[in-house]
Amino acid sequence: MLLRQPTSVSEAQECLAQGAVPVGGATLVWATWQRDGFPDLAMSLRGLPEATAVEAGSLGAAVVLNRIGDRVPEVLRRAAGSVGTGAVRRTATVGGNLVGSSLRCLLPAALVLDARARVLGPDRPYETDLAEVMAKRHLLLGLRWHTPLVSGYRKQPAEAGGPPPLVVATAVHADGGGRHRLRVAVREGYDVLSESTACDAGADEALDTLERTDIGALPAGTRDVVREQVADILATLAGR
């Protein structure tokens, strides 16, 4: 297998045109390749500056999870820190987790940040929403988001080899008029859903509104965790 490491977007486009298979940290595909055979040509984005940036409002797709520190919101930092073992986090990448993994541990955090994805199209890079990235498995270059006032993340304990653990991510954003909006994302099994609501009237009203969305159809135990997380995040906001 020949591994290319482009250092510019144009070089990356050339690699794609030649049929290169994009890889992140290869933590998810290595076993499959050993079983089914390695591709002739693969491509890593770790030499591409746009894909390796870690900034206050953006994160590159080739960033390994253990590099995600205090420059990103708490919800994203905690999501990255909950993935696998330390050895996994030293090699697994943002793009690999979001696009290459069925668990997509970072997706709830990205959704509550109202993140947009920058992807590499056949002609040029462009920005799109996360739903399109998940559906079409685009080559992700990075994420950009709106920095929240507060955010939180909770991942329930789970047995190794069992069903994916429940994840609840929350964030509160301010609009141009100073009003606050709560975003909640839940991973239940392999499914991820997200909702948002105004929250200036307090936790009870925000939760009543969320109960009338798809969140209200989740199992009772899951809704209990959502209620706890919403109450905690709004209490944190009130204490600021």
Side-chain angles (χ1 to χ4, degrees), residues 19-103:
V21 176
V23 297
T27 55
L28 297 170
V29 299
W30 194 260
T32 302
W33 286 349
Q34 287 182 312
R35 184 190 68 225
D36 300 335
F38 287 79
D40 293 330
L41 181 62
M43 174 178 66
S44 169
L45 297 181
R46 291 189 178 179
L48 189 62
E50 184 171 353
T52 55
V54 183
E55 299 174 355
S58 64
L59 188 63
V63 174
V64 293
L65 301 185
N66 75 339
R67 282 190 57 214
I68 299 176
D70 293 342
R71 283 175 287 182
V72 306
E74 178 183 355
V75 63
L76 188 54
R77 182 172 69 250
R78 290 179 60 189
S82 75
V83 175
T85 64
V88 169
R89 293 190 293 273
R90 286 192 292 273
T91 57
T93 63
V94 172
N97 185 272
L98 284 171
V99 182
S101 169
S102 60
L103 295 176

Side-chain angles (χ1 to χ4, degrees), residues 166 207 211 215-228:
L166 171 68
L207 286 166
E211 280 289 324
I215 286 178
L218 292 171
T222 299
R223 298 202 312 275
D224 287 342
V225 176
V226 171
R227 282 192 286 269
E228 291 172 7

Side-chain angles (χ1 to χ4, degrees), residues 76-238:
L76 188 54
R77 182 172 69 250
R78 290 179 60 189
S82 75
V83 175
T85 64
V88 169
R89 293 190 293 273
R90 286 192 292 273
T91 57
T93 63
V94 172
N97 185 272
L98 284 171
V99 182
S101 169
S102 60
L103 295 176
R104 297 176 295 183
C105 297
L106 300 186
L107 181 57
L111 288 170
V112 299
L113 293 178
D114 196 20
R116 298 279 292 174
R118 188 162 173 81
V119 301
L120 183 58
D123 302 319
R124 59 179 175 81
Y126 67 95
E127 194 170 282
T128 187
D129 58 40
L130 292 171
E132 180 179 326
V133 175
M134 300 300 108
K136 298 183 179 180
R137 301 180 69 84
H138 289 307
L139 178 60
L140 183 67
L141 294 175
L143 300 175
R144 296 177 182 173
W145 60 78
H146 299 289
T147 300
L149 298 173
V150 291
S151 63
Y153 183 85
R154 181 169 172 180
K155 187 176 188 178
Q156 295 288 81
E159 294 183 5
L166 171 68
V167 167
V168 179
T170 52
V172 177
H173 298 263
D175 66 16
R179 294 177 296 271
H180 296 146
R181 191 159 192 87
L182 169 71
R183 293 184 177 274
V184 179
V186 180
R187 186 186 71 186
E188 175 77 14
Y190 290 96
D191 297 323
V192 179
L193 61 88
S194 64
E195 299 289 349
S196 69
T197 179
C199 60
D200 286 312
D204 288 342
E205 184 167 322
L207 286 166
D208 285 345
T209 302
L210 290 173
E211 280 289 324
R212 297 192 292 272
T213 69
D214 288 342
I215 286 178
L218 292 171
T222 299
R223 298 202 312 275
D224 287 342
V225 176
V226 171
R227 282 192 286 269
E228 291 172 7
Q229 288 300 100
V230 168
D232 286 348
I233 199 72
L234 294 183
T236 301
L237 179 67

